[in-house]
Amino acid sequence: MAPQRNVAVVSVAQTPHRRAAAGLSETEMIEPAIRQALDQVGATIDDIGFVCSGSSDYLAGQAFSFVMTLDAVGAWPPISESHVEMDGAWALYEAWLKIQSGHCDTALVFGYSKASPGDLPRVLTRQLDPYYYGPLWPDSVALAGLQARAMLDAGAITEAEMAQIAERNRNAAKDNPNAQLQGSPSADELLTAPYVADPLRRHDCAPITDGGVAMIIAADDAARKFSSRPAWIRGIDHRVDSHNLGARDLTRAPSIAIAAQHAGVADGKVDVAELHAPFTHQEKIVRTELGLGDDVLVNPSGGTLSANPVMGAGLIRIAEVANRISAGEADRGVAHATSGQLLQQNLVCVLEGE
Amino acid sequence: MGANRVAVIGCGQTKYTAIRGDVSMPGLIREAAYRALDDAGLTMDDIDAVVIGKAPDFFEGMMMPETYLAEALGAVGKPLFRVHTAGSVGGSTAIVAASHVEAGVHERVLTIGWQQQSVSEAMWALSFPIPFQQQLVAGAGGYFAPFIREYMRRSGAPDDIGILVALKDRVNALKNPYAHLHEPEISYDSIKESFMLWEPIRYSETCPSSDGAFAMVLGSEKAAEQAQAATGVRPAWIIGTSMKSEPATANGRDQITPQAGKDCAADVYRQAGITNPLEQIDMVEMYVPFSWYEPMWLENLGFAAEGEGWKLTEKGTTQMDGQLPVNCSGGVLSTNPIGASGMIRFGEAAMQVRGQAGDHQVDGVNTALGHAYGGAAQFFAMWVVSAEKP
C-alpha cells in the first residue's frame, strides 16, 4: 500500500512580506496571491477540485477567523474545502492526501497570517503547556535562546557561524522581491551587536511579518496541462517530537530525520533546500537532521530569516523549491516546514523535475 | 470513495457533562482515545498517525494545542495533524483521518474530536465584535433564530414541530449513558413552557454546552479484517465522504437550505450509490443544535421535498421506531462539545452499523449517514457508513 499518483506543484504566488500590511484584513491581504496563483495557469476556482488553508485564530484575534478568508477564494457556488490550524504546509499535506485518494485532480492551498496586530512572541507563549510552561510566559525568542545556548555548550555551533547564517540568508533575499529584510552587514559586524536573548542577537531572529502564500497542485495529466515543468512531489511526510522541553535534547529534532527518511531525502542528489528556521541556529539543526551536504544550496530565497509570515512560512519553503525546479534551476530539492516551539513538529517534502 | 478501502474499527467516547473538572485536556482526550483503542483491540503502539480536531482555540485558551498534546496522544515520532473547520470540524476531522488510509499512506489512524467548553463562554466567544463583522447577534442561537422563523414561514409548519424534535432527542438521550442531558421528567409541556431564548427557539430546544471527546480508530481493509477477527465486532465501511463550503454571505445564497449542504449530500450519495435516501439509509445522526434544524436538514439532505420535512417529524418517521430514526444518541440537542459534536454524529452512525449502540441501537442498521455543519450554515461534512464492504 503506497500512494499511487504523481502530484506536482504547478503554480505559486506570494504576497509581499511586510512588517505590517496596514489597512488590509487577512482576507484582503491574501486574495491577490490566490488570484495570481490561479491566473498564472489560466485557471479559475471552478478548475480546482479541493481547497485547503492554514491559519491561526490566535494571530487573527478572532474565533473562526478563517471563515472570512473564504471570501478571498470565491466559494460561490460552493466548493470542496477544508482548513487546518497549522502552517499551510500541512494544508498542502491534506490536499495531497485528497488527490492521492482519487477525490480530485487539482487543489488550491494557502497559508497566511497577520502578526502585526498582536505581540507575536507573547502570543506564541499560549502554545505552551498551560500548567508548567505557559504560566511563566517564556516567549519564543527566550526559548530559542535556551536552544542556541544548548547548541553552543554542546559545541554544535558557534556565534560566528550563527552570524554567517544570518548574513547568507539576508544577502540571498536581495534577489527575492517579496522578502521583508534584504541585505546584511558582514558577520563580523553583526557580532558586535548586543544580545536580545543571550546568546541570540537581533540578526539571529526572524522578523515579524504579515503575509501569505498560495499554491496550486495537480496530478499527472492535469499537472502537465498547467505547467511545462511541474515540480513533482516525490515524498512528503511530517512527524512530531515531545513538547516537554526538559525531556528533549534541544540540539536535536529527531522528528525531522524520521520525516526525511519517509520522504526519501537521501534517495537522490539534493540541489536546493529551503529550511523553515526562524532562528539562525535552527538552520544548522534542520540541515544536520536532514543530512544535507555542504554542496546543497540552502535558502536561496533568504529563508524565514528574511520573511516570516507565521502559518505561511513553511508552505513558502515548498513554494520556493518548486519555483526553482519549474524554472529549471534545480532538478531535485528539499523543503522543510516547522510548527510549534523549537522545531517540535516538522514536515519534509522532496520535489523533483521530470 | 477512492483508492483504498477504509473502515471504522474502533469507537470510544467520554461521558459528556457541563464541566469535566476532574480531568485536564490531555486526560479528557486520552479517556476517549483509550476506549476507541480498546474497542479496536489495539494499543497506541499500533497507531500510525493521529488526526485531531476541535473548534476555536480560544475556547480552551490554548493556541494550536496539538503540539502540547503530542505525548498524551502517543504521537511522538508519528504524524500528528490538526483540523479546524468550524462546527463541522468533528466530521471534517474524521474525513481527513479517513483520507490518510484511503490515500494508501497509513494502515491505522486514531482520530479524536473534543471540546472543553467549560473553560470559556461559548456564546460570547461566538458573538464576534466589530471590526471583524457586523455586530448583530448574541451567539449561534441569535444567528440562527431568524433562519428558523423564515423556514416556518415558507413551509407553513405548525409552531410545535420544534418541540416534537426536542422531546424525541431528549428522550433518546435517556437511552445513551454518555449523553450530557438526562432529563427523565421531560415532556411536551415542559419544553413548551421553557423560556424563550431566541424566538422561536426555547431553552429546551437548544443544545447544551458540554465537555467531552469522541475518538475513532480507522483502518485499512487489512486492519479491518484483523480487528474484526480480534474483537468479533464488524467494521463500519466508509462508503462516501464529502466536505463542502460556501461563503457566509453571497448574493443569491439561501441560508435556509444552503446549496453547500445539498451539494455535499449529492456528492456523498453518489459515492455511496444512494439514489433514494429515505429508502436506502437506515438511520441518521444529524447535526441539530436547535430543534427546528431537524426538519430543515431533512429537506436539505433530500429525505423530504422542500417544505415537507416537518411532516416526517410530525408523523414520527424520525423516532427510534420510525422509518428513518434520527439522532438515536440524543443528538447535539442533548450533548454539545462543539469540536466533538460532528465526530459524535459520524461515530454514532458507525456504532449503529457495528451494532454497538446499546439501548439506543436500532435493529438492522446496514447503512447510516453522519452529518455535521458549521459557521453560518455554510460548512458541511458528511459520511455514509455501511456494514457491506464496498
Side-chain angles (χ1 to χ4, degrees), chain A residues 219-234:
Chain A
D220 301 309
D221 292 348
R224 291 195 175 83
K225 189 185 89 176
F226 283 130
S227 171
S228 56
R229 188 171 154 85
W232 299 102
I233 297 172
R234 296 301 189 205

Side-chain angles (χ1 to χ4, degrees), chain A residues 1-4 50 56-68 70-71 74-87 90-91 93-94 96-98 100-103 123-124 126-131 237-244 247 255 258 310-311 339-341 344-345, chain B residues 1-4 24-25 48 55-58 61-64 66-68 70-71 75-87 92 95-96 99-107 125-126 128 132-133 220 241 243-254 259-260 263 267 271 378-379:
Chain A
M1 203 172 74
Q4 297 298 318
F50 183 64
S56 164
D57 283 346
Y58 258 80
L59 295 167
Q62 183 203 4
F64 294 122
S65 57
F66 61 91
V67 174
M68 310 302 155
L70 206 51
D71 288 339
W76 187 257
I79 58 172
S80 292
E81 188 262 349
S82 184
H83 173 265
V84 298
E85 199 83 354
M86 305 183 83
D87 186 282
W90 278 265
Y93 188 78
E94 182 176 335
W96 178 80
L97 289 175
K98 203 75 165 179
Q100 289 297 351
S101 299
H103 283 278
V123 170
L124 294 177
R126 300 303 87 200
Q127 231 177 9
L128 295 164
D129 176 318
Y131 300 104
D237 192 85
H238 66 96
R239 303 281 155 164
V240 68
D241 286 317
S242 168
H243 184 74
N244 189 337
S255 62
I258 302 172
V310 182
M311 316 310 284
S339 180
Q341 306 278 358
Q344 189 196 336
Q345 188 171 21
Chain B
M1 286 291 283
N4 299 283
S24 61
M25 193 196 296
D48 301 320
D57 290 352
F58 286 119
M62 261 214 81
M63 177 184 185
M64 299 162 72
E66 62 275 3
T67 53
Y68 161 53
E71 281 168 310
V76 170
K78 296 177 184 177
L80 173 59
F81 199 93
R82 161 75 193 286
V83 181
H84 178 20
T85 62
S92 309
I95 291 174
V96 174
S99 72
H100 282 71
V101 179
E102 209 181 345
V105 178
H106 294 299
E107 291 279 343
L126 296 176
F128 305 127
F132 295 114
Q133 67 182 48
S220 66
T241 61
M243 291 148 77
K244 297 284 182 188
S245 309
E246 66 185 42
T249 52
N251 200 359
R253 176 172 186 244
D254 187 343
Q259 189 62 40
D263 291 356
D267 188 22
Q271 293 170 47
Q378 64 186 120
F379 296 98

Side-chain angles (χ1 to χ4, degrees), chain B residues 335-360:
Chain B
T335 302
N336 188 35
I338 295 179
S341 288
M343 193 170 289
I344 299 171
R345 307 279 74 69
F346 280 45
E348 284 280 350
M351 286 167 62
Q352 290 280 345
V353 165
R354 305 185 78 208
Q356 291 182 309
D359 290 345
H360 64 283

